[in-house]
């Protein structure tokens, strides 16, 4: 079991998932979000390689248009 924080809430997942796999499983539309891990932006190019890590803190920011 991997435990981490996502947008301030504690989460647990059973499998060793990449950041991209996790985001897709959670229903995020990848082209409209940014991911921060422990207060640093995680470059999109690393989402397939980087694993969701025990004890880390993730923030997901959605881009919203409007006027």
């Amino acid at each position: 079991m991997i435990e981490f924080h996502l947008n301030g809430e504690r989460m647990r997942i059973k499998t060793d998932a990449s950041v991209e796999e996790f985001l897709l499983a959670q229903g995020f539309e990848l082209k409209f979000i940014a991911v921060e891990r422990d207060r640093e932006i995680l470059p999109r190019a690393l989402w397939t390689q980087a694993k969701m890590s025990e004890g880390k803190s993730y923030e997901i920011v959605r881009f919203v248009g409007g006027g």
Side-chain angles (χ1 to χ4, degrees):
M1 193 65 76
I2 299 168
E3 187 174 305
F4 54 90
H5 284 86
L6 177 66
N7 294 345
E9 295 186 30
R10 186 169 54 182
M11 291 200 69
R12 292 182 180 151
I13 57 174
K14 294 179 182 178
T15 61
D16 188 23
S18 72
V19 171
E20 184 175 275
E21 291 168 333
F22 173 77
L23 294 170
L24 289 171
Q26 296 298 310
F28 287 101
E29 191 167 345
L30 301 184
K31 65 182 178 178
F32 295 118
I33 63 172
V35 177
E36 181 184 281
R37 181 176 60 190
D38 287 343
R39 297 184 168 195
E40 292 185 19
I41 296 294
L42 184 64
R44 187 176 302 269
L46 299 180
W47 290 6
T48 58
Q49 300 165 2
K51 299 291 184 185
M52 297 302 290
S53 301
E54 178 76 29
K56 298 286 186 183
S57 180
Y58 296 87
E59 294 289 330
I60 309 298
V61 179
R62 296 178 197 224
F63 299 107
V64 178

